[in-house]
Amino acid sequence: MPSSSSQALTQFQNLVGRKFQIYNSLFTSLPFHRIEKTGILLSLLLSYCEEGYDNKQSPSQIIEDFFSKHTSYAKEEDKLDLLFRFVQYVERQVVLFDALEDAAFTTVNDMNGPGTLKGLQSEVAQFDNESQLKKKLEDFSIRLVLTAHPTQFYPGAVLGIIHDLTRAIAENNINQINMYLQQLGKTPFLKEQKPTPYDEAISLMWYLENIFYQAAGRIISFMKTNLPEVVSADNAIMRMGFWPGGDRDGNPYVRTDTTLKVAGALRESIMRSYYLDVRRLKRRLTFKGVDVPLQQLELKLYNNLFVPGYKSDINKTEILNTLLQIKETLIYKHNGLFLDLIESLINKVEVFGLYFASLDVRQDSSVHTRVIEEIVKKTKALPAGYLSLPDNEKIQALLNVHTIVNSEDLTDEIHRDTLEVMAAIKDIQANNGVAGCDRYVISHADSALTVIEVYGLLLMSGWQAASLLVDIVPLFETVDDLDNAAGIMKELYELPAYREHLRLRKNKQTIMLGFSDGTKDGGYLMANWSIYKAKEALTLVSRAYDIDVIFFDGRGGPPARGGGKTHKFYASLGKNIANEEIQLTIQGQTVSSNFGTIESAQFNIEQLINAGISNDLFASQKVILQDTEKELIQQLAEKSLTAYLELKNHPNFLEYLGHASPLRFYAATNIGSRPAKRGGSGKLVLEDLRAIPFVGSWSQLKQNVTGYYGVGTAFKKMDEEGRWEELKKLYDKSTFIKTLIANCEMSMKKSFFPMTRFLSNHPVYGEIWNKIFDEYELTKQYIFRLTGKDELMADYPVEQLSVQMRERIVLPLVTIQQYAITKVREMEESGSESPHKQTLEKLVMRCSFGIINAGRNSA
């Protein structure tokens, strides 16, 4: 282990591991109902779980033996009450652990080391690459897009407590820590109702206001101060994006009024942030020549924010001009006193404008097709025989639309909303600026027609082709769609009308690539390799048509959904893949784990910026995969796909997941506004099931199939073909493969098969359990052989320990959840009616909160 890693591990053990034991003991002294007994009994249960699984007991045996030997409870109601109190207790232990990790972040991580902007500055100086860096920064940027996908959601009150508790821990303020732990004990974690899309937006705005606003100011200030000659005045370097309120794919609760309301809230939120900053500036900038313009700016912001019915009369340019005037006065008349404060606010205004985060609109391609079908039947906007035309003629008809369709002519509510939100984008742009809402993302874009359908609908909603200020962004996600992506884009690039549209958008084409459904569709290796290949092919075809392609990656928190060592993926791509911008979704546990504090947000944003720049400036030929190496990975991915499809196509596959995991309860957890599956049919079909509940259910089951299944089999088959040494050389050389395997190790580290071992002999599902377990063991065996290590995540000792500690904290929770699932299933199979069934179902759902929240370091 390198000395830096060893030092970081020691710091983590001292600042997180040991402190967790100390502060956790405070829970037992909190003056709440039976809390002391709960804490003691929970410690006993944890020991009982560990011993029980060592002795091959099932969750039901462990819980029942625990009750009989360590409690005097005879009534089922009392037993369930204790289990619920265990859940509440563990939820708060998880929050404490989160706060401890956040407080230790700047000590455990080297804030000026490799991957940071300080590290980049050193590299640029060492290799004398300043001119190349300047050229790179003319258009390079990162865009972090916050989404409300339900993989973790603390209520706003809990977020505030975590924030304050983190600060108190960092300051070693025992009195405040004790007070916040008491507050935590009394604050409900449970959402009684599903959040609305607007609720989700407001929750995420907490991060915009409290984290990203400050982190962005620090990052841009550092770059302008330390790399003044290379930072372009026309490029903000980082931007924020936003999906809640705009993403209506599979979410029937998002409507145009929601989109407009969220856009308004974003504008109000950023103006409030500016207003508070101006108020703080007034306390320092009390000099002649700066006090009056600052006071006038404060008044204007106040009027726009707080005066009812006040007509908006402020814009980004006006704010910047005022601040730049103040800056000039400070420099020339007041010796630059407090110049850093005014520059920090200027930097924030340049990044966030009057929109804070750009609101994306997203809808599924099938909806657009149905809207057009109704338009054909109800209006004359398209030729009468449109529906029977071949695709190429449909495309021409859509490109030549000259009729605005009145949404009231349509009877379907979603169809009306589709046209209305397209028209509403104009209103958002008028209020928040064009960048406030200028992208339309198409899920399941499996042909050129699906892209042009959106172009045609935009024209029918009132946009003019010559002034269409909206990027049309196809999303390719399944393995087949990724394989076909380059051909689809080539077809689009050859359409003169579409090329003219791209010219209006500065010859930039954004393409979204999704990891979640790709992994669900083709397994871990094939999904990741398909995305890599698609990026290379899309870069090649776009460059051939002089189009700057921008990749927008739909990444979730766990490695199975594109998470893990994200910045290392970007650093490993090489020059055959366009990287003018890095754009990715940030969601669920990724928000709190990587961006939960200003310091962690700054560190991880810097890592992404560094990765994108270093990939271009310092990438050697070794980064680029050679044809023989691509052929090797292709064969590996194909063998992995065959193994994964064999499992996925097993007739009992989805039934097994529904039988053993909390899948059927996922939609009732109230952590997200979207339904757990697309479509309205009652039957659960794998194609309709969303990737989040699919991956999340495997995670709560502690089997994490989508993060490794097929990898071991693929390695074994290549080994049998005599190609192991080739794979070993590829692993030693390729950062891409190393990162892929590292993320695979994380998925496996968070698996725990002893909990479900009781299913190995099940008459129906035993076969599937054994297949999954055997693949896990095979993959582990080959990963050890490949890495030369004898434990998973050995190269990341701090994260390894974090995972171990978190998994131990939630071990009672996953045990309780399995116990409750088993009890409910037994009642249903026997046909017996029990007054406790509903309580047990609620217990399954409550356990999900702590398990999901504890898994935040899967990001």
Side-chain angles (χ1 to χ4, degrees):
M1 184 190 301
S3 58
S4 58
S5 298
S6 177
Q7 185 178 0
L9 182 61
T10 301
Q11 296 281 19
F12 187 88
Q13 289 168 331
N14 291 334
L15 297 175
V16 181
R18 292 189 176 93
K19 280 191 174 183
F20 178 75
Q21 299 304 324
I22 295 168
Y23 294 142
N24 186 42
S25 65
L26 291 174
F27 276 121
T28 60
S29 62
L30 296 179
F32 302 136
H33 171 64
R34 298 159 78 186
I35 193 77
E36 185 173 354
K37 191 176 181 182
T38 303
I40 293 168
L41 286 174
L42 180 61
S43 296
L44 277 171
L45 177 60
L46 173 59
S47 298
Y48 221 74
C49 288
E50 291 174 329
E51 292 172 11
Y53 289 128
D54 283 344
N55 294 324
K56 300 186 178 181
Q57 287 185 294
S58 71
S60 294
Q61 289 172 315
I62 290 170
I63 297 295
E64 286 163 4
D65 285 357
F66 170 79
F67 276 126
S68 67
K69 293 178 182 177
H70 295 288
T71 75
S72 58
Y73 297 139
K75 293 182 180 179
E76 192 71 15
E77 292 87 346
D78 291 335
K79 293 179 181 179
L80 290 172
D81 177 62
L82 179 61
L83 293 179
F84 272 108
R85 283 189 283 116
F86 283 159
V87 173
Q88 293 170 331
Y89 198 98
V90 172
E91 283 177 333
R92 286 151 180 80
Q93 285 183 311
V94 171
V95 168
L96 173 61
F97 198 85
D98 286 350
L100 284 163
E101 277 199 327
D102 288 344
F105 189 90
T106 55
T107 307
V108 173
N109 293 279
D110 186 352
M111 303 299 285
N112 294 311
T116 64
L117 289 180
K118 190 73 175 175
L120 177 67
Q121 183 186 10
S122 300
E123 280 190 291
V124 168
Q126 180 183 349
F127 293 101
D128 195 22
N129 276 17
E130 193 167 293
S131 60
Q132 289 174 268
L133 178 61
K134 182 174 183 179
K135 181 170 175 47
K136 177 72 177 175
L137 288 179
E138 286 175 2
D139 55 10
F140 175 78
S141 67
I142 66 166
R143 184 193 295 230
L144 305 178
V145 181
L146 299 178
T147 81
H149 290 79
T151 50
Q152 180 194 57
F153 247 74
Y154 284 124
V158 176
L159 284 175
I161 297 171
I162 295 174
H163 188 267
D164 295 339
L165 183 59
T166 299
R167 187 179 58 212
I169 289 170
E171 295 169 356
N172 247 349
N173 190 324
I174 297 296
N175 289 333
Q176 281 193 344
I177 292 167
N178 191 45
M179 181 176 65
Y180 294 143
L181 288 176
Q182 290 188 51
Q183 181 187 4
L184 196 63
K186 287 183 172 290
T187 302
F189 281 44
L190 180 66
K191 295 174 188 259
E192 297 292 345
Q193 296 179 318
K194 288 180 78 68
T196 66
Y198 185 72
D199 293 335
E200 292 173 331
I202 296 302
S203 293
L204 278 178
M205 281 182 210
W206 186 93
Y207 286 100
L208 284 175
E209 293 175 0
N210 293 280
I211 307 297
F212 290 103
Y213 182 73
Q214 303 297 342
R218 291 184 183 184
I219 288 168
I220 306 304
S221 292
F222 176 90
M223 295 194 76
K224 286 187 174 181
T225 302
N226 294 279
L227 299 163
E229 300 300 317
V230 301
V231 177
S232 169
D234 301 321
N235 183 23
I237 299 173
M238 75 164 284
R239 298 176 177 82
M240 297 301 300
F242 208 73
W243 272 21
D247 179 15
R248 56 236 313 122
D249 174 17
N251 192 335
Y253 310 114
V254 178
R255 290 287 182 267
T256 299
D257 60 340
T258 313
T259 306
L260 290 168
K261 191 177 177 184
V262 169
L266 285 165
R267 186 176 193 274
E268 183 179 312
S269 177
I270 190 58
M271 282 204 297
R272 185 167 56 247
S273 298
Y274 295 156
Y275 174 74
L276 293 172
D277 261 1
V278 169
R279 296 264 300 180
R280 284 187 281 268
L281 277 172
K282 278 184 65 184
R283 294 174 64 87
R284 301 280 79 85
L285 303 185
T286 53
F287 325 132
K288 185 177 179 181
V290 299
D291 53 346
V292 173
L294 201 57
Q295 187 172 348
Q296 290 172 341
L297 179 57
E298 179 198 10
L299 179 62
K300 203 154 198 181
L301 286 165
Y302 178 90
N303 289 339
N304 278 264
L305 274 167
F306 303 118
V307 176
Y310 191 87
K311 187 176 180 181
S312 173
D313 65 348
I314 196 167
N315 57 52
K316 173 184 175 181
T317 303
E318 181 183 352
I319 296 173
L320 275 177
N321 286 343
T322 302
L323 296 175
L324 289 168
Q325 173 196 334
I326 292 170
K327 176 183 175 181
E328 290 293 305
T329 306
L330 285 178
I331 291 171
Y332 294 110
K333 294 187 178 180
H334 302 291
N335 301 318
L337 193 58
F338 299 125
L339 186 63
D340 59 320
L341 300 181
I342 199 76
E343 285 182 334
S344 176
L345 182 52
I346 289 170
N347 294 336
K348 292 169 184 172
V349 176
E350 287 176 344
V351 170
F352 299 116
L354 281 185
Y355 57 89
F356 218 155
S358 183
L359 186 60
D360 289 346
V361 178
R362 181 171 77 132
Q363 183 56 283
D364 191 82
S365 63
S366 62
V367 173
H368 305 134
T369 302
R370 291 196 296 272
V371 175
I372 287 171
E373 287 172 357
E374 187 177 1
I375 286 172
V376 171
K377 293 172 185 174
K378 300 279 178 65
T379 76
K380 295 183 178 180
L382 289 166
Y386 172 88
L387 298 178
S388 60
L389 294 175
D391 280 7
N392 63 321
E393 293 184 32
K394 285 181 178 177
I395 286 172
Q396 290 306 315
L398 290 164
L399 290 172
N400 291 290
V401 165
H402 298 293
T403 304
I404 297 175
V405 174
N406 185 343
S407 63
E408 294 301 317
D409 292 340
L410 307 181
T411 54
D412 187 283
E413 188 179 351
I414 292 178
H415 297 177
R416 288 199 303 271
D417 176 75
T418 302
L419 284 179
E420 287 165 1
V421 76
M422 288 178 170
I425 292 173
K426 279 186 182 180
D427 297 328
I428 297 172
Q429 291 187 356
N431 290 321
N432 295 17
V434 172
C437 184
D438 64 348
R439 305 204 306 187
Y440 195 106
V441 181
I442 310 162
S443 299
H444 295 113
D446 57 6
S447 68
L449 177 60
T450 55
V451 177
I452 299 303
E453 281 178 336
V454 169
Y455 181 89
L457 286 169
L458 284 163
L459 298 181
M460 286 183 256
S461 73
W463 286 90
Q464 296 295 315
S467 56
L468 180 49
L469 303 178
V470 181
D471 291 333
I472 301 172
V473 182
L475 165 55
F476 302 112
E477 200 155 16
T478 67
V479 172
D480 284 345
D481 288 348
L482 289 164
D483 285 346
N484 297 330
I488 290 170
M489 296 314 301
K490 182 176 187 295
E491 187 177 345
L492 289 168
Y493 293 155
E494 290 182 349
L495 295 171
Y498 191 75
R499 280 302 300 272
E500 179 59 20
H501 170 62
L502 290 179
R503 189 189 64 77
L504 288 171
R505 305 300 294 157
K506 299 181 180 178
N507 282 320
K508 291 180 182 288
Q509 172 67 61
T510 302
I511 297 172
M512 188 172 181
L513 302 169
F515 286 75
S516 300
D517 280 344
T519 309
K520 188 187 84 170
D521 178 50
Y524 179 70
L525 266 184
M526 181 55 86
N528 279 277
W529 179 236
S530 295
I531 287 170
Y532 186 98
K533 287 192 301 176
K535 283 188 174 182
E536 278 203 333
L538 288 163
T539 300
L540 189 65
V541 72
S542 298
R543 286 174 178 169
Y545 286 88
D546 293 322
I547 301 297
D548 293 327
V549 66
I550 297 163
F551 294 119
F552 174 24
D553 291 325
R555 293 179 175 270
R561 295 188 53 243
K565 305 292 178 187
T566 305
H567 62 279
K568 292 202 170 187
F569 265 121
Y570 289 114
S572 72
L573 295 180
K575 295 187 178 183
N576 289 343
I577 291 177
N579 71 333
E580 281 72 20
E581 295 185 29
I582 289 177
Q583 299 190 6
L584 67 157
T585 54
I586 304 293
Q587 55 190 271
Q589 70 268 48
T590 318
V591 181
S592 61
S593 62
N594 284 4
F595 307 95
T597 66
I598 296 169
E599 290 75 20
S600 63
Q602 180 180 347
F603 180 82
N604 285 298
I605 292 169
E606 286 189 16
Q607 293 282 321
L608 284 171
I609 293 173
N610 189 314
I613 292 172
S614 299
N615 185 34
D616 216 25
L617 265 62
F618 309 115
S620 66
Q621 281 300 113
K622 288 178 69 176
V623 174
I624 300 171
L625 291 169
Q626 303 303 309
D627 288 344
T628 53
E629 294 166 335
K630 290 178 185 176
E631 179 268 334
L632 188 65
I633 300 172
Q634 178 66 30
Q635 289 201 26
L636 194 68
E638 286 175 359
K639 295 178 193 306
S640 175
L641 174 65
T642 300
Y644 176 73
L645 290 180
E646 183 187 1
L647 176 72
K648 193 177 82 166
N649 294 333
H650 190 288
N652 296 327
F653 175 72
L654 198 54
E655 282 185 29
Y656 168 80
L657 187 61
H659 176 90
S661 81
L663 176 62
R664 57 184 271 202
F665 303 98
Y666 221 93
T669 53
N670 291 338
I671 59 172
S673 68
R674 288 201 308 182
K677 68 185 186 71
R678 293 181 174 93
S681 66
K683 185 180 179 183
L684 189 60
V685 179
L686 188 59
E687 287 70 26
D688 291 339
L689 183 62
R690 288 196 170 277
I692 291 167
F694 181 72
V695 172
S697 294
W698 287 115
S699 174
Q700 291 185 58
L701 190 57
K702 295 300 168 188
Q703 293 185 358
N704 287 328
V705 160
T706 47
Y708 62 83
Y709 198 92
V711 175
T713 296
F715 279 142
K716 182 182 179 184
K717 289 187 179 297
M718 296 293 273
D719 187 18
E720 290 171 347
E721 292 174 10
R723 305 193 70 180
W724 179 255
E725 286 306 313
E726 292 178 66
L727 287 173
K728 187 72 173 69
K729 285 179 184 175
L730 178 63
Y731 174 81
D732 291 338
K733 169 191 169 181
S734 170
T735 310
F736 173 75
I737 296 298
K738 273 197 176 76
T739 307
L740 211 59
I741 297 302
N743 284 348
C744 185
E745 290 183 64
M746 184 183 287
S747 291
M748 296 175 71
K749 188 70 178 175
K750 296 171 78 68
S751 298
F752 184 67
F753 281 89
M755 185 184 74
T756 52
R757 186 185 282 115
F758 70 98
L759 290 169
S760 63
N761 297 317
H762 192 281
V764 178
Y765 303 116
E767 181 188 355
I768 293 181
W769 188 92
N770 283 291
K771 282 175 73 72
I772 295 169
F773 177 68
D774 290 346
E775 183 66 26
Y776 171 87
E777 289 294 319
L778 183 65
T779 303
K780 187 166 68 171
Q781 171 193 329
Y782 271 98
I783 282 179
F784 288 166
R785 190 174 162 193
L786 188 69
T787 62
K789 305 293 193 301
D790 58 2
E791 57 181 15
L792 297 169
M793 295 182 70
D795 288 332
Y796 302 95
V798 170
E799 286 152 297
Q800 182 194 55
L801 181 57
S802 176
V803 168
Q804 286 173 350
M805 292 188 71
R806 285 176 176 275
E807 292 301 299
R808 190 166 188 264
I809 290 169
V810 299
L811 185 59
L813 227 56
V814 293
T815 303
I816 291 168
Q817 186 182 62
Q818 269 298 311
Y819 165 78
I821 289 172
T822 302
K823 295 276 280 187
V824 170
R825 192 169 56 237
E826 287 172 352
M827 290 173 187
E828 291 174 344
E829 289 174 353
S830 66
S832 62
E833 291 296 325
S834 169
H836 304 300
K837 184 186 176 191
Q838 195 171 3
T839 307
L840 285 161
E841 289 176 333
K842 185 179 178 182
L843 185 59
V844 175
M845 292 184 285
R846 283 304 310 277
C847 288
S848 291
F849 281 90
I851 299 168
I852 290 168
N853 290 340
R856 77 171 192 164
N857 60 0
S858 62

